[in-house]
Amino acid sequence: MTAEQRRLKRTRLIERVRTVEQRQSALAAAEAETQRARLDAVSAKTRALAAHYAASRDATDAQSLRRSGTMSSHLRDLSHMAERHAQDARDQSEASMAALARNERRRRRAEEDYREAASVLREKLAAR
């Protein structure tokens, strides 16, 4: 096997590895985006519930007023926690998308290297 053939084989292997990396990165980015959307929805729902309980003025006695206030407070705390989790998921999603873009560039470069090595080998074989 000549040096050009070994180089072609090596660049083909690198191209396949980069393709697998790119697919895995795309899957991770999709999962991160799904998780972000889910946590955004949870955050919005808990905010809406907290606002509903905070706006509720139908308490008939002190105990029901206290329960309503406590429920509103707990929901507000849950809403803040859900918002923090949603923000973490957004950050993770952005990082995954950046990794996907990086891996796509690497895959394209490996594909170009393979094409170049193949054309060099074809030219050398045609010259013989």
Side-chain angles (χ1 to χ4, degrees):
M1 184 179 292
T2 67
E4 289 82 20
Q5 289 173 327
R6 283 192 302 275
R7 182 172 186 268
L8 179 65
K9 198 172 187 179
R10 188 179 68 245
T11 56
R12 179 66 177 150
L13 177 63
I14 290 170
E15 179 193 12
R16 284 187 288 188
V17 167
R18 297 292 186 240
T19 299
V20 169
E21 285 176 347
Q22 188 268 340
R23 287 180 184 158
Q24 289 173 339
S25 186
L27 181 62
E31 289 173 354
E33 187 62 24
T34 301
Q35 181 72 4
R36 183 209 52 81
R38 194 173 317 137
L39 287 171
D40 277 343
V42 167
S43 178
K45 286 178 185 177
T46 55
R47 261 195 320 275
L49 278 171
H52 171 74
Y53 275 95
S56 179
R57 302 287 181 229
D58 59 352
T60 56
D61 58 8
Q63 185 178 5
S64 63
L65 180 62
R66 191 175 319 119
R67 267 188 276 147
S68 177
T70 301
M71 182 64 132
S72 176
S73 174
H74 288 317
L75 283 171
R76 195 172 40 255
D77 293 343
L78 282 174
S79 176
H80 291 310
M81 185 184 322
E83 182 58 38
R84 282 193 306 272
H85 288 199
Q87 183 60 47
D88 290 345
R90 274 191 288 283
D91 294 344
Q92 179 64 33
S93 177
E94 289 172 7
S96 295
M97 294 303 278
L100 174 60
R102 222 176 15 256
N103 284 335
E104 177 61 23
R105 285 190 301 272
R106 291 173 71 189
R107 187 199 60 79
R108 266 193 246 124
R109 178 65 184 159
E111 185 178 345
E112 290 169 6
D113 289 347
Y114 174 71
R115 285 186 191 150
E116 181 183 319
S119 70
V120 166
L121 183 59
R122 274 193 300 270
E123 288 172 6
K124 286 194 176 190
L125 289 174
R128 287 185 184 165

